[in-house]
Amino acid sequence: MTTIPLLTGNPLESNVHARYALLTMSRIRKLEEAVEDLFGRGMMHGTMHLSIGQEASATGVCMALNIDDQITSTHRGHGHCVAKGADLTRMIAELLGKENGYCGGRGGSMHIADVATGNLGANGIVGGGIPIAVGAGLASKLMNRGTVAVSFFGDGAMNEGAFHEAANLAAIWKLPVVFVCENNGYGMSSSTELAFAIDTLAERGLGYGIPGYTIDGNDVSAVYEATQAAVQRARNGEGPTLLELVTYRWKGHSRSDKNLYRTKEEIDEWKTKDPILFFEHLLKDKGMITDEEIAQVHAEATSQVIAAVNEAMKGVPADPANLLDAVFKKVSA
Amino acid sequence: MTTIPLLTGNPLESNVHARYALLTMSRIRKLEEAVEDLFGRGMMHGTMHLSIGQEASATGVCMALNIDDQITSTHRGHGHCVAKGADLTRMIAELLGKENGYCGGRGGSMHIADVATGNLGANGIVGGGIPIAVGAGLASKLMNRGTVAVSFFGDGAMNEGAFHEAANLAAIWKLPVVFVCENNGYGMSSSTELAFAIDTLAERGLGYGIPGYTIDGNDVSAVYEATQAAVQRARNGEGPTLLELVTYRWKGHSRSDKNLYRTKEEIDEWKTKDPILFFEHLLKDKGMITDEEIAQVHAEATSQVIAAVNEAMKGVPADPANLLDAVFKKVSA
Amino acid sequence: MSDRMLTMSEALREAMAIAMEERPEVFILGEDIGIYGGAFGVTGDLYHRFGSERVRDTPISELGIVGAAVGAALSGMRPIVEIQFSDFTAQAMDQIVNQAAKIHFMVGGELHVPLVLRAASGSGTGAAGQHSQSLEGWFANVPGLKVVMPSSPYEAKGLLLSAIDDPNPVIFLEHKLLYKIPGREEVPEGAYRIPLGVSRVLREGKDLTIVATGIMVSRAMAAADELAVEGVEVTVIDPRTISPLDMDPVYASLENTGRLMVVQEAPEHGGFLNEVIALVATGPALGHLIAPVVRLAGMNVPIPYAPQLEKAAVPQVNNIVAAARSVVADWR
Amino acid sequence: MSDRMLTMSEALREAMAIAMEERPEVFILGEDIGIYGGAFGVTGDLYHRFGSERVRDTPISELGIVGAAVGAALSGMRPIVEIQFSDFTAQAMDQIVNQAAKIHFMVGGELHVPLVLRAASGSGTGAAGQHSQSLEGWFANVPGLKVVMPSSPYEAKGLLLSAIDDPNPVIFLEHKLLYKIPGREEVPEGAYRIPLGVSRVLREGKDLTIVATGIMVSRAMAAADELAVEGVEVTVIDPRTISPLDMDPVYASLENTGRLMVVQEAPEHGGFLNEVIALVATGPALGHLIAPVVRLAGMNVPIPYAPQLEKAAVPQVNNIVAAARSVVADWR
Ligand SMILES: Cc1ncc(C[n+]2csc(CCOP(=O)(O)OP(=O)(O)O)c2C)c(N)n1
Ligand SMILES: Cc1ncc(C[n+]2csc(CCOP(=O)(O)OP(=O)(O)O)c2C)c(N)n1
Ligand SMILES: [Mg+2]
Ligand SMILES: [Mg+2]
């Protein structure tokens, strides 16, 4: 089994929820490690943007969503995809350029979408998914669907015009949208200190009449709580919320990053704030999990990822023959 | 004489300043009336966006600028152009498509620029001039020129991505830029109530760390004061300011506007807040001008505009022969 | 029946009304399309007929609007976006080109984007360089977009209904000079669909094959009338959609005429109708040519303001007549 | 002298360093061009050599950056903007097309915009549809822009210096596969300038004229090597700048070869090299053709991710060889 059904609720609500949250974060971490490994072994093409260190934000947000709530994701989107319920095999198959990959080998890491779980897709364009989420929210409103659209994006994306126009549309139309800014301190090499002249990115909501909150993005339960409130507000027709989830990426921006713009000390310090370890400690403090159970969860995640990689490897390489047919959806359909 | 030299200082500083401010506003009003007349008589091509009712904002802002301070302007840019010191004859000649027009008949109303007075040009693109002003401010900073760049734009322009990206760049680089939003209540038919979910547009500065102020845009002296403070801040290297100048356009958006989106009552009420009459009353209250002098000023404005129209009419129609040569600046130059 | 000699604005409005009545998922969004009725009056009274939710006025945010339309389309809606002037697609290029055009392909078919982007195109109104461009070439070179250029009210209605039906993103470029002029053909009252990707032969003649797009179709027809008086018989072909492009009638006609002229308003250098020339020059049709191809296009200049300059910058009827006359006379 | 066999990154960096030393008004701005050294390492150590004011890191705001460059250029500076991937020019199209390209003309010559926009172009790195486009056709159809496509380190340095000198906006499209490969020619150490608008004949042969752009120039040269072994002699012409486009060497070559092939990476439909075909087909060169023109171009698909798909989507050396072989064999 390389998928697990989405569970909603606070990660601290019950032992089942806790285990689910931990398993989800672990699955993301192991998947990312596998991707790094495949890349290192030259089995994967292109580039990769790993979300190691950011697992709590994807997980906490998606635990506040129903399966038919929609998300738009980013170039650093594996975590969002997993947390929303995607099949690890099809994800890895995509990275390996196989027919059975999510995109049939046509999109790769930056373009995985999954209709079944409401994932409208990763995006190679910084900020590209933000107006799209607003459109999904508009569709929900026009059709009275009661669903919410969440847009994940990074701190860097907030300086794109796309964010601005999208935020304002969502605000004036009171759309059921949640703007989730994963502030990991950098847009590639550009630090938030250099790229912004405000103290918290949540303040940017002020200019649109959108309430903004700054949350510890490495605390999966805090992320859930904030998202849950925002989702409730959205479903009530009160409009969008901006959540700034403060986190950190442990790895370089992409394969070519030499980390010249930040110090080893800074990276190491953030590693002490590992969202997975943090959550484990919290659960143990509350007596909600044992060390043995924790080991079990990680073992389960590892075996799922290994199974996914093995299964994906068996896939047929994508075939150039039908490329031209894949550009347009057939009119009859 | 269809130009007058730029005078800086508070419109209430002296009788000379008062007379200058009144004359400038009157020249704008008369010019716009002449444009409307030329258009109505079929002598002018294209469209026109009149700034009648908004004369105080252009005038008050430009009286806080030196001749080498730069501005970027808009589709509704005649007032800015006049207030910065442009030649009325060349302006009208442009509208008439003459060789001696500012653009040699190639640009028309929406593209008049005037290097001599620091006017980097009107713009047919809503928001188009905003990043350009930021670049002018950057050039000033890089070259230590001490000049300031002012970007005029409308309320509608504030929802363009261009505003957003430009505002943030100016803020983080602390550029000598002043963002002047002429809030006339509408972007074409779209009211600020519908297009924004905030109370004042000045609040939008908050999201960038830019101080924002809402000013009575029909009070030429208040406009001057606010601009002067912002210019000072800019020259001191403290960065940009956002000024929201609240005003109103009396005429339709352009020639094809039927004013369906606003009431006659609203228009009439704003006419009672005529910036020119308001200033005249203020001056009379202060004993700075007599009725006779006021009449004199308007007569002078009228005669300048008439002279400009007459002179412009004599111009040679722009010649298609050299169009191809006009696309690129010659490399030798 | 002369009450069915509609303008293109009227024809487009009818198409949108029919589509909105047929399908609840169709809605329109754009700047000033509501009470104002559209910058060129195309949406007219639709706001009053369908309400502010389905005829949705937006702030001035082209990128946001097109992006919202993409998101809505991905979520089962069929948005029609109106961009006031096609020049402002520049603001929205990322959503058009990097998102709408590619999503279906990039995600391996999981999603599709049934979106129509309507925009006023072309020169002739004195609005100068930033409000007068013919940008079809940009979109035609982007795989994943369909590109429609209606040349008359009749075409406009039938093509727009097909565009709305299409499950893919369609760029629909309307020449602004056509909005207010009644067409030469009746526009049927109800729904009818003109398939995307089928050229129309408007007139057949043995001397010269003219392929023209948008406003140039009517100019080519006017030129053909004049030329007929002189005994020069011209075939006029309107591709109607430039992506996909149907060349069969062009090849067939060249077998008879041996002479080809293409006429577009867009700037000549790198303009789209080069595709027609290239398809002829790379295939068997080359063998039928008895004369060099004639290319009439906009000058390589931004569209100027003054009327005498603006006219000079793009092909007019007399330019077509003169060029046709000489290619026929010089190459026998 | 083999230490002057630079990569294109190195050559471009040298050009920028020379220009910055020559003129105080030259500066660079873009995302991650500072400490990071550029997404493709092109700016490298320039940040350390010229400081953070003149090698200016920006937030992720392409429209703002290009707009700021336009404003700076209007104010006497000579900005060089780096856009990480040419795909992101979509974000900045308004400033490129509606502002930079047209201002000089629209304002009647009062102002001009000496601006260079450098961007990484093309496919081959597995970055998929939104990071691999060849968009030169967009810019070529916009009057007021010059468009440069260097095909080697030597060309890149000399062309970039000319682009920086030019008083007009220049779009400088660098194929990303060329960044890291040393060229086949020495790059002189100091300043040298290759004028914009002059094609280069890289190789002369009597059988076939190939016009290729960007990365396709080296593929055409490799194909020519293979073909030479079989006795097929090929002329290879690199226009270097597609706006302005210098066709004289093409016409001259066609008088000898009678056969024309154009090779581009951009999608075939509506792609720029149609211009070369059109100029041949509309003029006297048509009379020299003894074979249909051969057009090799990218497939009409977004660039796919998987390596086998990505390769299939654009012309490779073997495609050029095969097509050349058959046009020469079939048309004698
Ligand atoms: C429009 C656009 N500009 C630039 C890039 C190149 N780029 C890819 S990711 C990235 C940094 C994004 O930063 P952020 O939004 O903070 O996300 P993070 O990588 O930190 O998760 C940049 C500059 C891009 N893909 N799209
Ligand atoms: C990018 C762009 N979108 C739309 C338009 C069409 N348009 C011209 S002026 C205008 C309204 C602008 O409103 P505002 O900025 O408030 O200025 P005002 O007209 O009120 O002075 C619109 C929508 C345009 N010129 N450019
Ligand atoms: Mg980040
Ligand atoms: Mg306004």
Side-chain angles (χ1 to χ4, degrees):
Chain A
M1 265 277 291
T2 59
T3 63
I4 57 174
L6 185 67
L7 181 69
T8 62
N10 192 319
L12 296 177
E13 194 173 309
S14 73
N15 289 7
V16 174
H17 286 85
R19 202 182 172 285
Y20 175 87
L22 187 61
L23 178 61
T24 301
M25 292 197 286
S26 187
R27 294 168 86 229
I28 297 172
R29 173 85 45 103
K30 306 292 179 206
L31 178 97
E32 296 290 43
E33 286 168 357
V35 171
E36 194 174 21
D37 176 63
L38 289 170
F39 203 93
R41 283 154 60 202
M43 305 190 59
M44 200 190 129
H45 189 46
T47 186
M48 54 169 180
H49 305 91
L50 303 176
S51 64
I52 295 177
Q54 304 186 186
E55 296 86 351
S57 66
T59 303
V61 167
C62 291
M63 285 185 75
L65 302 181
N66 297 327
I67 185 96
D68 57 350
D69 289 325
Q70 296 169 292
I71 64 166
T72 65
S73 170
T74 69
H75 59 286
R76 199 174 305 288
H78 301 162
H80 313 140
C81 196
V82 172
K84 199 69 173 66
D87 176 359
L88 306 188
T89 303
R90 289 187 67 195
M91 286 181 71
I92 295 179
E94 182 55 33
L95 304 183
L96 298 175
K98 306 289 193 180
E99 282 292 351
N100 62 330
Y102 265 108
C103 319
R106 296 179 199 130
S109 164
M110 287 191 286
H111 301 293
I112 296 174
D114 184 19
V115 173
T117 61
N119 181 351
L120 291 179
N123 212 308
I125 297 292
V126 169
I130 311 177
I132 294 176
V134 169
L138 177 59
S140 171
K141 188 178 186 215
L142 283 170
M143 294 313 217
N144 265 312
R145 288 186 184 144
T147 56
V148 166
V150 170
S151 180
F152 285 101
F153 53 89
D155 46 288
M158 225 187 221
N159 288 326
E160 285 282 358
F163 166 77
H164 176 73
E165 299 190 11
N168 190 57
L169 291 181
I172 61 170
W173 292 339
K174 288 194 184 302
L175 297 182
V177 171
V178 183
F179 295 105
V180 175
C181 175
E182 294 181 292
N183 177 1
N184 59 11
Y186 296 89
M188 212 156 149
S189 71
S190 153
S191 71
T192 49
E193 278 82 57
L194 291 176
F196 293 86
I198 43 180
D199 293 328
T200 71
L201 306 198
E203 287 165 50
R204 198 153 272 176
L206 294 173
Y208 310 101
I210 299 180
Y213 304 95
T214 301
I215 312 292
D216 178 351
N218 282 5
D219 177 346
V220 66
S221 170
V223 170
Y224 167 83
E225 283 297 334
T227 310
Q228 165 57 20
V231 165
Q232 205 46 61
R233 191 178 128 84
R235 285 205 219 284
N236 291 346
E238 294 164 67
T241 303
L242 170 61
L243 301 179
E244 175 192 10
L245 308 182
V246 180
T247 182
Y248 199 79
R249 69 168 150 73
W250 292 9
K251 301 285 172 170
H253 168 72
S254 67
R255 61 175 168 128
S256 51
D257 188 343
K258 302 189 202 79
N259 278 320
L260 299 172
Y261 51 87
R262 57 182 189 174
T263 62
K264 198 172 166 317
E265 289 69 45
E266 184 185 286
I267 302 176
D268 288 343
E269 201 198 308
W270 273 95
K271 285 194 179 167
T272 66
K273 303 185 203 160
D274 181 347
I276 296 182
L277 280 181
F278 174 87
F279 189 56
E280 290 173 2
H281 286 307
L282 191 72
L283 293 180
K284 285 203 284 186
D285 284 354
K286 291 186 184 286
M288 291 176 76
I289 207 161
T290 64
D291 278 328
E292 206 187 349
E293 286 168 322
I294 290 174
Q296 240 174 36
V297 166
H298 291 308
E300 184 179 338
T302 303
S303 78
Q304 282 191 11
V305 169
I306 291 177
V309 171
N310 288 339
E311 192 61 27
M313 297 270 199
K314 293 187 211 137
V316 182
D319 182 356
N322 58 359
L323 270 186
L324 272 177
D325 289 344
V327 179
F328 290 106
K329 186 169 171 70
K330 295 291 161 300
V331 175
S332 58
Chain B
M1 263 277 289
T2 60
T3 64
I4 59 175
L6 185 67
L7 181 69
T8 62
N10 192 320
L12 297 177
E13 196 174 308
S14 74
N15 290 6
V16 175
H17 287 84
R19 204 183 170 283
Y20 175 86
L22 188 62
L23 179 60
T24 302
M25 292 197 286
S26 187
R27 292 169 86 231
I28 297 172
R29 173 86 43 106
K30 305 293 180 206
L31 177 95
E32 296 289 44
E33 287 168 355
V35 171
E36 194 173 21
D37 176 61
L38 288 170
F39 203 93
R41 281 154 61 203
M43 304 190 59
M44 199 190 129
H45 189 45
T47 186
M48 53 170 182
H49 305 91
L50 302 176
S51 65
I52 295 176
Q54 305 186 183
E55 296 86 351
S57 65
T59 303
V61 167
C62 292
M63 285 184 75
L65 303 179
N66 296 329
I67 186 97
D68 57 351
D69 290 323
Q70 296 169 293
I71 65 166
T72 65
S73 170
T74 69
H75 59 287
R76 199 175 305 288
H78 301 160
H80 314 140
C81 195
V82 171
K84 198 70 173 66
D87 176 359
L88 306 189
T89 303
R90 288 187 68 195
M91 286 181 71
I92 294 178
E94 182 55 31
L95 305 183
L96 298 175
K98 306 289 193 181
E99 282 292 351
N100 62 330
Y102 266 108
C103 319
R106 296 179 199 129
S109 164
M110 287 191 286
H111 301 292
I112 296 174
D114 185 19
V115 173
T117 61
N119 181 353
L120 292 179
N123 211 308
I125 297 293
V126 170
I130 311 175
I132 293 176
V134 168
L138 177 59
S140 172
K141 188 179 186 213
L142 284 169
M143 293 313 215
N144 266 312
R145 288 185 185 144
T147 55
V148 167
V150 170
S151 180
F152 285 101
F153 52 89
D155 46 288
M158 224 187 220
N159 287 326
E160 284 283 358
F163 166 77
H164 176 73
E165 299 190 11
N168 190 57
L169 292 180
I172 61 169
W173 294 338
K174 288 195 185 300
L175 297 182
V177 172
V178 183
F179 295 105
V180 175
C181 176
E182 295 181 291
N183 177 1
N184 59 10
Y186 296 90
M188 210 155 151
S189 71
S190 152
S191 71
T192 49
E193 278 81 56
L194 291 177
F196 293 85
I198 44 181
D199 292 330
T200 71
L201 306 198
E203 288 165 48
R204 197 154 272 175
L206 295 172
Y208 310 100
I210 299 179
Y213 304 96
T214 301
I215 311 292
D216 179 350
N218 282 6
D219 177 346
V220 67
S221 171
V223 170
Y224 167 83
E225 283 298 333
T227 309
Q228 164 57 21
V231 165
Q232 207 44 61
R233 190 178 128 84
R235 285 205 219 283
N236 292 346
E238 295 164 67
T241 303
L242 170 62
L243 302 180
E244 175 192 11
L245 308 182
V246 180
T247 182
Y248 199 79
R249 69 169 150 72
W250 292 9
K251 300 285 172 170
H253 167 72
S254 66
R255 61 174 168 129
S256 52
D257 189 343
K258 300 188 205 80
N259 277 321
L260 298 174
Y261 51 88
R262 56 181 190 176
T263 61
K264 196 170 167 319
E265 289 69 45
E266 184 185 284
I267 301 175
D268 287 342
E269 201 198 309
W270 272 95
K271 285 193 179 169
T272 67
K273 303 184 202 160
D274 180 346
I276 297 183
L277 280 180
F278 173 88
F279 189 56
E280 290 174 3
H281 286 306
L282 191 71
L283 293 180
K284 286 202 285 185
D285 283 356
K286 290 186 184 288
M288 291 176 75
I289 206 162
T290 64
D291 279 328
E292 205 187 349
E293 284 169 322
I294 291 174
Q296 239 174 36
V297 166
H298 292 308
E300 184 178 339
T302 303
S303 78
Q304 282 192 11
V305 170
I306 291 177
V309 171
N310 289 340
E311 193 61 26
M313 296 269 200
K314 292 187 211 137
V316 182
D319 183 355
N322 58 0
L323 271 186
L324 271 177
D325 289 345
V327 180
F328 291 106
K329 187 167 170 74
K330 294 290 161 298
V331 176
S332 58
Chain C
M1 290 282 93
S2 75
D3 62 326
R4 297 301 305 167
M5 294 304 210
L6 306 187
T7 66
M8 194 166 79
S9 292
E10 291 163 341
L12 291 164
R13 192 179 317 133
E14 282 194 358
M16 290 190 279
I18 290 170
M20 286 205 280
E21 268 153 15
E22 283 179 356
R23 303 183 191 247
E25 65 270 27
V26 174
F27 71 105
I28 317 177
L29 72 175
E31 296 159 15
D32 308 295
I33 63 167
I35 290 183
Y36 199 96
F40 289 93
V42 177
T43 47
D45 63 349
L46 293 179
Y47 174 84
H48 297 288
R49 289 167 62 191
F50 294 94
S52 62
E53 290 282 297
R54 294 184 74 192
V55 181
R56 180 167 288 264
D57 261 325
T58 69
I60 311 174
S61 309
E62 290 80 9
L63 180 61
I65 299 167
V66 177
V70 172
L74 292 174
S75 306
M77 307 297 290
R78 292 189 176 255
I80 303 170
V81 182
E82 175 173 310
I83 296 288
Q84 293 190 341
F85 289 77
S86 72
D87 314 69
F88 316 153
T89 59
Q91 264 71 1
M93 279 303 266
D94 177 61
Q95 287 292 335
I96 299 170
V97 165
N98 291 330
Q99 314 294 342
K102 297 181 174 54
I103 287 177
H104 176 69
F105 179 90
M106 288 191 308
V107 305
E110 285 260 335
L111 296 162
H112 65 286
V113 187
L115 160 76
V116 178
L117 187 153
R118 296 179 35 244
S121 177
S123 71
T125 66
Q130 295 172 330
H131 287 75
S132 307
Q133 293 169 87
S134 297
L135 299 173
E136 64 270 17
W138 291 359
F139 305 112
N141 197 218
V142 175
L145 296 177
K146 300 192 176 181
V147 185
V148 184
M149 298 180 71
S151 62
S152 77
Y154 169 80
E155 305 284 353
K157 181 173 174 182
L159 290 165
L160 184 54
L161 277 165
S162 293
I164 297 169
D165 284 349
D166 203 285
N168 300 288
V170 179
I171 308 296
F172 201 92
L173 297 170
E174 304 159 3
H175 200 290
K176 49 182 86 78
L177 291 184
L178 298 174
Y179 280 135
K180 303 246 146 82
I181 314 164
R184 304 212 272 181
E185 240 173 338
E186 278 183 20
V187 177
E189 202 161 333
Y192 62 98
R193 274 138 175 111
I194 298 173
L196 308 187
V198 180
S199 296
R200 179 176 183 186
V201 182
L202 284 139
R203 166 172 195 136
E204 282 188 270
K206 62 169 182 16
D207 296 319
L208 173 66
T209 306
I210 299 185
V211 178
T213 47
I215 188 78
M216 294 299 154
V217 175
S218 50
R219 296 201 186 148
M221 290 295 282
D225 285 343
E226 283 190 38
L227 290 159
V229 177
E230 306 174 13
V232 176
E233 291 172 28
V234 170
T235 295
V236 176
I237 299 175
D238 172 11
R240 303 198 282 204
T241 64
I242 63 169
S243 298
L245 177 67
D246 169 23
M247 285 288 288
D248 290 342
V250 180
Y251 299 140
S253 171
L254 284 178
E255 290 189 26
N256 298 323
T257 65
R259 301 182 191 91
L260 173 65
M261 177 189 292
V262 299
V263 193
Q264 72 184 14
E265 176 167 336
E268 179 170 83
H269 186 74
F272 175 76
L273 283 185
N274 286 346
E275 180 69 22
V276 169
I277 301 176
L279 286 166
V280 167
T282 54
L286 181 67
H288 299 299
L289 287 185
I290 59 173
V293 177
V294 179
R295 180 167 63 152
L296 285 185
M299 285 171 69
N300 294 318
V301 304
I303 297 294
Y305 161 70
Q308 68 279 19
L309 306 185
E310 191 181 24
K311 274 223 159 121
V314 302
Q316 305 295 336
V317 175
N318 60 319
N319 306 123
I320 302 174
V321 170
R325 196 185 281 139
S326 58
V327 72
V328 172
D330 296 350
W331 299 86
R332 303 228 146 247
Chain D
M1 291 281 93
S2 74
D3 64 325
R4 297 301 305 166
M5 294 304 207
L6 306 186
T7 65
M8 193 164 82
S9 292
E10 291 162 342
L12 291 165
R13 193 179 317 133
E14 281 193 359
M16 289 190 280
I18 290 170
M20 285 205 281
E21 269 154 14
E22 283 178 357
R23 302 183 190 248
E25 66 271 26
V26 174
F27 71 106
I28 318 178
L29 72 174
E31 296 159 14
D32 308 295
I33 63 168
I35 291 182
Y36 198 97
F40 289 93
V42 176
T43 47
D45 63 350
L46 293 179
Y47 174 84
H48 297 289
R49 289 168 62 191
F50 294 93
S52 61
E53 290 282 298
R54 292 184 75 193
V55 182
R56 181 168 286 264
D57 261 326
T58 69
I60 312 175
S61 308
E62 290 80 9
L63 180 62
I65 299 167
V66 177
V70 172
L74 291 175
S75 307
M77 308 297 290
R78 289 189 178 256
I80 304 171
V81 182
E82 175 173 310
I83 297 288
Q84 294 191 340
F85 288 77
S86 72
D87 313 70
F88 316 152
T89 59
Q91 263 71 0
M93 280 302 266
D94 178 61
Q95 287 292 334
I96 298 171
V97 165
N98 291 330
Q99 313 295 342
K102 297 181 173 53
I103 286 176
H104 176 69
F105 179 90
M106 288 190 308
V107 305
E110 285 261 335
L111 296 162
H112 65 287
V113 188
L115 160 76
V116 178
L117 186 154
R118 296 180 34 245
S121 177
S123 71
T125 66
Q130 294 172 331
H131 287 75
S132 306
Q133 291 169 89
S134 298
L135 299 174
E136 66 269 18
W138 291 359
F139 305 113
N141 197 219
V142 175
L145 296 178
K146 300 192 177 182
V147 185
V148 185
M149 297 180 72
S151 61
S152 76
Y154 169 82
E155 305 284 353
K157 181 173 173 181
L159 290 165
L160 184 54
L161 278 165
S162 293
I164 296 168
D165 284 347
D166 203 285
N168 300 289
V170 180
I171 308 296
F172 201 92
L173 297 170
E174 304 159 4
H175 200 288
K176 48 182 85 80
L177 291 183
L178 297 173
Y179 280 135
K180 303 245 144 84
I181 314 164
R184 307 211 269 181
E185 242 174 334
E186 278 183 20
V187 177
E189 203 162 332
Y192 63 98
R193 277 145 173 103
I194 299 174
L196 308 187
V198 180
S199 296
R200 179 175 184 187
V201 181
L202 283 141
R203 168 174 194 133
E204 282 188 89
K206 61 170 184 16
D207 296 320
L208 173 67
T209 306
I210 300 185
V211 179
T213 45
I215 188 78
M216 293 300 153
V217 175
S218 49
R219 296 201 185 147
M221 290 296 283
D225 285 344
E226 284 190 38
L227 289 159
V229 177
E230 305 174 14
V232 175
E233 290 172 29
V234 170
T235 295
V236 176
I237 299 175
D238 172 11
R240 303 197 284 203
T241 64
I242 63 169
S243 299
L245 177 67
D246 169 23
M247 284 288 288
D248 290 343
V250 180
Y251 299 140
S253 172
L254 284 179
E255 289 188 27
N256 300 322
T257 64
R259 300 185 193 91
L260 173 65
M261 178 189 293
V262 300
V263 194
Q264 73 185 13
E265 176 168 335
E268 179 170 84
H269 186 74
F272 175 75
L273 283 185
N274 286 345
E275 180 70 23
V276 170
I277 302 178
L279 286 166
V280 167
T282 54
L286 181 67
H288 299 300
L289 287 186
I290 60 173
V293 178
V294 179
R295 180 167 62 151
L296 284 185
M299 285 171 68
N300 294 318
V301 304
I303 297 294
Y305 160 69
Q308 68 278 17
L309 305 186
E310 193 181 23
K311 274 222 159 122
V314 303
Q316 305 295 335
V317 175
N318 62 319
N319 306 123
I320 303 174
V321 171
R325 196 185 280 140
S326 59
V327 71
V328 172
D330 297 351
W331 299 86
R332 303 227 145 249

